[in-house]
Amino acid sequence: MKKTKILFAASEADPFAKTGGLADVAASLPKALHESDCDVRVIIPKYRNIPQCYVERMESLGHIYVPVSWRRQYCGIFKLEQDGVLWYFLDNEYYFGRDGYYGYDDEGERFTFFCRALIEALPVIEFRPDIIHSNDWQTGIVSLLLKANYMKLDFYKDIKTVFTIHNLKYQGVFPKEILGELLGIGWEYFHPDGIEFYDKVSFLKAGIAYSDIITTVSRTYAEEIRTDFFGENLNNMLNKRSDSLYGILNGIDMKANDPQTDDRIFAHYSADNPEGKLTNKQMLQKTLGLAERIDIPLISIISRLVDQKGFDLIDCVMDDLLNMDIQFVVLGAGENRYEQMLKYFQEKYPGKLSVNLKYDALLAQRMYAGSDIFLMPSLFEPCGLSQMFSLRYGTIPVVRET
């Protein structure tokens, strides 16, 4: 039986580049598809921040020049194999040789280049996928570019597209002038059922409009985003495409996240032999400068510090919480107002609150293992992986129903 060939396109993937849940899914879903006997490959940008231990394993496959409207931009192509899956990395120092992954003024150009480059790279890597599976706004225009520029070519004409919305709030909205300046496509695509979004263009909307299938990360979220409250001004478009919209619940890699074998945590443990969880708690307290007490609840949050994640609710009750006999650990970065709020409470309650304003995958894993309670008061949550990780490590998630 012929294997289904899938190219999984994402802007981040663990362990190479990670800011959130997309990176976890981009690591675990292709691995699961490979184990289900699919020929799945993953393609991401070759960021400067990719750990050197992976860069050293990469094999160069050569380079191409990618059209970004009238420009022709260099693109190096690298590959490595991880967990049976082939990974490709697209290199351009100007676009990706920077600190961090997002937040630059030329995001539209950076990810237009990436989307165009991954399409152009396919003949070079000698892989003609049955399906290109794109994720979030950074790869939203892949299906549009295929339709506008490639579907008449024999190599591309049979490729189908799937687009997954991990969070509808982040849409990649840019001035309409980039249609010609960057995308190199005509105004016939600039209309309410196409890429047009309030007289601008939305890369996320392009993914919704032009992909064969749209998925999102839970059945509940697939229903929620078709309503005014959760729809982020795209609910009408999603209702038009409802026959092609599916909610498929995210999962986690149960082998990589097993407290009995995970070498990232301080001590191994299981439901039948839970003593090691107390060791993890004590070592987490020691590492973060908290009193080493196993007799009080240790509450943790691992999150982007944005309003979606419920930090206004936390602000309202932080005094009440920290006046209890508890300890609180926060890991994440985001909006300055929430960072300042957490710093204020850390100074007000010394020794009770540890604030870590960064992304740190190792510390996150040790927080899942060492905490008693995981707090997740999100205003909305497309699926959430944190509560799954918490449950896997025997930590009770306290969440807001959404």
Side-chain angles (χ1 to χ4, degrees):
M1 184 177 173
K2 178 176 172 283
K3 287 186 178 183
T4 302
K5 294 187 288 186
I6 302 164
L7 182 74
F8 193 93
S11 60
E12 60 180 77
D14 191 41
F16 308 106
K18 178 177 177 177
T19 66
L22 169 59
D24 292 307
V25 176
S28 57
L29 179 56
K31 186 177 170 184
L33 290 168
H34 169 73
E35 291 169 357
S36 300
D37 210 29
C38 294
D39 181 359
V40 59
R41 322 273 179 98
V42 188
I43 195 161
I44 68 169
K46 186 175 180 285
Y47 297 109
R48 175 193 286 174
N49 295 72
I50 292 175
Q52 190 62 28
C53 60
Y54 300 114
V55 175
E56 289 169 359
R57 288 173 47 202
M58 292 180 188
E59 174 191 345
S60 173
L61 300 179
H63 66 273
I64 56 175
Y65 286 91
V66 176
V68 181
S69 188
W70 51 267
R71 310 161 189 79
R72 293 186 65 77
Q73 303 285 40
Y74 169 88
C75 175
I77 305 170
F78 294 81
K79 77 169 183 179
L80 68 76
E81 186 173 329
Q82 181 97 341
D83 297 321
V85 176
L86 266 181
W87 291 75
Y88 298 101
F89 302 85
L90 301 185
D91 180 43
N92 178 289
E93 282 292 312
Y94 174 69
Y95 293 127
F96 304 125
R98 313 179 185 185
D99 289 328
Y101 313 115
Y102 314 122
Y104 291 94
D105 291 338
D106 58 347
E107 296 290 76
E109 183 173 345
R110 295 174 75 218
F111 289 103
T112 295
F113 166 81
F114 176 61
C115 293
R116 195 75 186 250
L118 71 87
I119 297 170
E120 293 272 338
L122 291 173
V124 179
I125 64 176
E126 299 180 342
F127 183 63
R128 178 159 50 184
D130 300 302
I131 299 164
I132 297 179
H133 185 164
S134 302
N135 295 269
D136 274 352
W137 76 261
Q138 292 90 347
T139 52
I141 58 167
V142 167
S143 52
L144 168 58
L145 292 173
L146 274 171
K147 190 174 291 287
N149 296 311
Y150 296 91
M151 281 307 185
K152 293 178 182 177
L153 305 175
D154 281 347
F155 184 89
Y156 297 95
K157 62 184 175 65
D158 296 323
I159 295 175
K160 301 298 183 185
T161 53
V162 174
F163 179 64
T164 296
I165 303 164
H166 296 263
N167 192 331
L168 193 68
K169 191 175 181 71
Y170 303 99
Q171 300 184 3
V173 177
F174 304 102
K176 61 188 177 184
E177 287 74 22
I178 75 166
L179 275 181
E181 276 293 307
L182 296 179
L183 302 185
I185 61 175
W187 289 98
E188 65 268 26
Y189 296 97
F190 188 76
H191 55 81
D193 290 333
I195 196 173
E196 188 268 336
F197 186 71
Y198 294 91
D199 205 38
K200 296 183 178 181
V201 299
S202 164
F203 281 28
L204 188 92
K205 191 181 181 204
I208 295 169
Y210 296 104
S211 299
D212 295 303
I213 295 291
I214 307 147
T215 72
T216 191
V217 290
S218 70
R219 287 194 298 273
T220 308
Y221 195 56
E223 294 299 320
E224 286 178 342
I225 59 178
R226 293 171 58 193
T227 67
D228 287 342
F229 184 78
F230 292 102
E232 301 290 346
N233 295 312
L234 286 171
N235 46 300
N236 289 336
M237 186 71 184
L238 288 160
N239 278 305
K240 285 181 182 178
R241 299 247 26 221
S242 60
D243 288 348
S244 303
L245 173 64
Y246 299 87
I248 302 170
L249 190 66
N250 268 344
I252 63 172
D253 187 328
M254 297 289 277
K255 293 177 185 173
N257 297 282
D258 184 348
Q260 297 182 85
T261 57
D262 189 348
D263 289 333
R264 294 168 293 183
I265 63 177
F266 292 112
H268 295 149
Y269 61 96
S270 67
D272 297 324
N273 184 23
E275 288 79 12
K277 185 159 179 65
L278 292 178
T279 304
N280 279 285
K281 181 175 180 177
Q282 286 180 300
M283 290 301 296
L284 180 63
Q285 290 168 326
K286 183 177 181 180
T287 301
L288 297 176
L290 301 173
E292 293 173 45
R293 292 177 56 191
I294 62 170
D295 61 316
I296 62 171
L298 177 57
I299 303 171
S300 65
I301 295 178
I302 302 167
S303 175
R304 293 193 311 279
L305 306 184
V306 295
D307 57 355
Q308 176 213 326
K309 297 297 186 179
F311 281 93
D312 290 324
L313 290 176
I314 293 169
D315 191 9
C316 292
V317 299
M318 191 65 104
D319 280 310
D320 294 334
L321 279 174
L322 292 173
N323 277 313
M324 299 180 189
D325 195 17
I326 65 162
Q327 293 173 336
F328 207 156
V329 181
V330 180
L331 172 63
E335 294 181 28
N336 182 63
R337 57 178 167 151
Y338 296 126
E339 293 187 356
Q340 295 306 316
M341 177 263 287
L342 290 167
K343 286 179 182 177
Y344 164 77
F345 284 115
Q346 182 175 240
E347 291 176 9
K348 187 175 179 180
Y349 296 93
K352 298 196 74 172
L353 173 61
S354 171
V355 176
N356 305 273
L357 299 175
K358 58 183 177 178
Y359 297 107
D360 186 330
L362 181 62
L363 178 56
Q365 212 69 12
R366 290 173 173 178
M367 287 169 64
Y368 287 124
S371 303
D372 299 297
I373 296 170
F374 189 89
L375 187 58
M376 200 171 174
S378 305
L379 175 66
F380 68 92
E381 196 64 59
C383 168
L385 293 175
S386 293
Q387 75 276 21
M388 299 184 190
F389 290 127
S390 299
L391 289 166
R392 182 67 169 144
Y393 286 85
T395 296
I396 300 166
V398 176
V399 305
R400 180 182 173 276
E401 183 182 15
T402 176

